[in-house]
Amino acid sequence: MAEDVNNDTTHSKTEERKIVVEFCQLQEKSRQLFNSLRDLPQFGNKHWQTHFGKTFDVYTRLWKFQQKHRSILDAKYNLKRWQIGEIASKIGQLYYHYYLRTSEANYLHESFGFYSAIRSRAYYSQASKEEKPDLMVKKLRYYARFIVVSLLLNKVDLVKELIQELHHYVEEYVSVYEAEDDEEWRLVISEVTAFMEADSLVTVMTPDVVPVTLSHRMAENEIPAQRPVSGTALSLQEIIIVGNCEKQVKFSELTLDMFRMLQALEREPEEVPPRTLVTTNEVSESPSDKETSEIARSFSKRPNPHKYLLYKPTLTQLYVFLACGLKELPSNGVMLIYVSSDGCLGNAKAGEEGPYEMGGVAMCHKKAGNEEGTRRARANLKDVHCLYPEDLVPFSRKPLMVIVDSSNSYAFRYFPSLFGQPLISLMSPITVPTTMQEQSRKGSLFSLFLFSPLVAFCYVCSIADLRSDLWDSCHRQVRRIMNDCLRVFYDWSRCVDLAFLQLLDDEFLRLMIIRFVFCFYTMHLHRAFKGSDYYPKSFPKLPAEILLNGGIEKQVLELASMLDVRSLFYEIGEGPPTD
């Protein structure tokens, strides 16, 4: 009998050792796969999916394993709460990076669910008790990532709470460990605080004085109805978003312009219940095997176009992503290039419009000294770090829309079109009213119109607060204006360049074009915008039948009347010339 007991005990200890060993092996394998994701190229969409699938699969097994054997791991491995939190944090990061790869905002909800549960269960609560600061640094990085995901989901109140908590933990980190990187973490807090302030241009309140959270992703009721088209309709498939404004507010390699445009080019994600990480037994769920396979297949059926977000890329880096985007385009695909950047002036004299003479927009580079800049100017040399319109010609072999937001955007009004493909360039004004120049650090006015026409309209009218019922009425009026703009396009289709009509096929491109037209009408009618340098331009040019339509002007002025700012606008026919 005693021998049987001893055998059972020995067998039990052997099984426990096997469980601990297997857990350690899964941990190490998951760590290796996760770290190897960093080595994957950011561009291309053929090989990364397999690697992501393997990584999700290993984390699924790891999560289920710790759930099944939690009591043994607690007793024999001394499994700590922060280790469970670390696994959950990695899964949250996987979902976030999957969102970046696919542009599917639903994965943001998955990431948010994991990050939320880590906070609610306080997995990192004992981080400052450790002898070394490593765990505390992980906790701070988790907070920074959680803030990014919450920002992208417009959870404004939560972001404010997270910023306060991050500030508290940074102070704790500095006091406990006498950290030398305290300035870096304080800079993170400063950046996200400035980002939040800059993005809060209009406050909408309910009758009970409760702030309304506004979402600016594309909703179905915002899309002007398309007329039937014959043949294969074009579809926006690849987007390159570039942010290179030196002084613009940014957070986590996202300038405010980039942040706004990435939302403007996504559909509103479905509301999904947050994933429950922890049950009453303190064990967590994980992506199921079915979910993993669905994730692997989802890339081919995505409802959103694929995006690359490039913060301060060099010209060569931009070329790599452009070439990859062009390669991935299907036969009916369109590529959109959005560039928010400082101007790079050319060498053109009055009346000259030759190749590379009009300048372009600056790309990232180590700034040359004054002597180098002087030498180039005297020698009449081109700036090797400037993106010129001619640089994009090779990528116009397939349908292309270029949106340039810069003080030298008009350089792209002479965009050479050589391959017979639809090609449009939308350009920001090169001048803004004096009263609005300081706002440029907090995001461009032109990009604001493309992001949220009503917010931009309120901003140029110095309206910072609105009742929710008035906001809803004005929003309906903006939709009416958008629909009328599209109707005018089709009514005067014989006067409009064919490229516009072809690119109107796609919902996102249609929205960009119509918001561009709304931006023009607002600026042309507003008294603070005193001439053509204050207006957006397009290539090819849009005719007067589109840009000077009396019916649309009347609708815009009606919007101004609804907001009680009619005095800020010219009457119909009274405004300055368009050119």
Side-chain angles (χ1 to χ4, degrees), residues 18 20 73 81 136 141 228 236 297 340 371 405 435 444 462 530 534 538:
K18 284 183 179 179
V20 171
L73 291 171
R81 288 181 61 77
M136 196 66 183
R141 288 175 177 167
L236 178 62
R297 292 195 303 268
S340 168
E371 293 182 4
D405 197 334
T435 55
S444 162
S462 300
K530 301 181 182 300
Y534 291 80
S538 69

Side-chain angles (χ1 to χ4, degrees), residues 319-336:
Y319 257 50
V320 169
F321 284 90
L322 288 172
C324 184
L326 188 71
K327 178 184 176 183
E328 300 296 339
L329 279 183
S331 58
N332 68 326
V334 182
M335 182 160 66
L336 168 63

Side-chain angles (χ1 to χ4, degrees), residues 105-114 149 153 155 269-275:
N106 286 323
Y107 293 119
L108 285 173
H109 285 296
E110 297 286 0
S111 181
F112 179 82
F114 280 89
V149 171
L153 289 174
K155 296 185 181 294
E270 299 173 3
E271 279 293 337
V272 295
R275 181 171 301 283

Side-chain angles (χ1 to χ4, degrees), residues 95-105 108 152 262 266:
Y95 274 118
Y96 173 68
H97 285 286
Y98 207 84
Y99 156 72
L100 293 179
R101 290 275 183 173
T102 63
S103 299
E104 288 314 313
L108 285 173
L152 289 169
L262 78 86
E266 288 179 352

Side-chain angles (χ1 to χ4, degrees), residues 278-566:
V278 191
T279 67
T280 54
N281 295 321
E282 291 263 81
V283 292
S284 312
E285 298 176 1
S286 61
S288 66
D289 296 334
K290 180 182 178 183
E291 227 174 29
T292 303
S293 61
E294 287 176 352
I295 286 172
R297 292 195 303 268
S298 67
F299 190 81
S300 60
K301 59 178 183 180
R302 59 175 184 255
N304 285 335
H306 176 246
K307 295 187 298 293
Y308 292 114
L309 305 175
L310 305 182
Y311 174 67
K312 292 191 174 181
T314 63
L315 192 61
T316 51
Q317 288 171 335
L318 176 60
Y319 257 50
V320 169
F321 284 90
L322 288 172
C324 184
L326 188 71
K327 178 184 176 183
E328 300 296 339
L329 279 183
S331 58
N332 68 326
V334 182
M335 182 160 66
L336 168 63
I337 303 170
Y338 167 85
V339 182
S340 168
S341 180
D342 298 322
C344 181
L345 298 177
N347 301 316
K349 298 177 182 177
E352 291 183 355
E353 296 177 1
Y356 292 92
E357 294 298 331
M358 301 303 296
V361 293
M363 291 292 104
C364 186
H365 66 285
K366 293 181 179 179
K367 292 184 178 179
N370 291 335
E371 293 182 4
E372 173 67 11
T374 303
R375 183 187 71 80
R376 287 189 169 277
R378 288 176 179 171
N380 200 30
L381 297 174
K382 308 300 181 228
D383 189 337
V384 296
H385 303 291
C386 176
L387 176 68
Y388 295 90
E390 292 80 6
D391 293 331
L392 298 179
V393 171
F395 307 101
S396 64
R397 286 176 166 85
K398 291 186 178 180
L400 178 66
M401 177 184 282
V402 181
I403 300 177
V404 184
D405 197 334
S406 172
S407 58
N408 193 38
S409 63
Y410 287 3
F412 289 78
R413 71 182 184 273
Y414 300 109
F415 204 114
S417 177
L418 305 177
F419 300 103
Q421 295 288 343
L423 171 61
I424 289 177
S425 176
L426 304 180
M427 296 155 278
S428 69
I430 59 174
T431 304
V432 295
T434 306
T435 55
M436 303 176 194
Q437 288 176 355
E438 294 183 2
Q439 175 64 25
S440 60
R441 181 179 173 274
K442 299 180 179 180
S444 162
L445 182 58
F446 179 62
S447 292
L448 184 61
F449 268 97
L450 299 181
F451 166 65
S452 175
L454 183 51
V455 169
F457 191 90
C458 290
Y459 173 73
V460 299
C461 297
S462 300
I463 298 172
D465 300 284
L466 272 183
R467 303 187 317 274
S468 58
D469 58 337
L470 180 56
W471 169 270
D472 292 339
S473 298
C474 291
H475 205 260
R476 287 191 292 271
Q477 177 66 9
V478 170
R479 285 203 298 269
R480 282 193 288 269
I481 295 171
M482 299 291 185
N483 283 312
D484 280 356
C485 287
L486 187 63
R487 176 185 54 77
V488 170
F489 260 101
Y490 288 124
D491 288 349
W492 292 94
S493 58
R494 66 185 182 278
C495 303
V496 179
D497 191 281
L498 180 60
F500 277 101
L501 299 176
Q502 290 173 299
L503 295 187
L504 283 171
D505 285 346
D506 180 85
E507 293 175 336
F508 289 104
L509 299 180
R510 193 184 318 151
L511 211 57
M512 291 296 103
I513 292 170
I514 300 304
R515 287 178 176 178
F516 167 86
V517 174
F518 178 82
C519 175
F520 177 89
Y521 272 97
T522 301
M523 293 177 175
H524 184 244
L525 291 170
H526 198 292
R527 296 179 184 274
F529 298 81
K530 301 181 182 300
S532 61
D533 284 352
Y534 291 80
Y535 310 149
K537 294 187 183 297
S538 69
F539 170 85
K541 287 185 177 180
L542 286 170
E545 288 82 358
I546 302 295
L547 297 180
L548 297 177
N549 182 279
I552 296 177
E553 288 181 337
K554 183 178 178 181
Q555 294 263 39
V556 173
L557 293 177
E558 184 177 334
L559 176 62
S561 296
M562 293 170 67
L563 292 166
D564 198 23
V565 290
R566 181 67 175 261

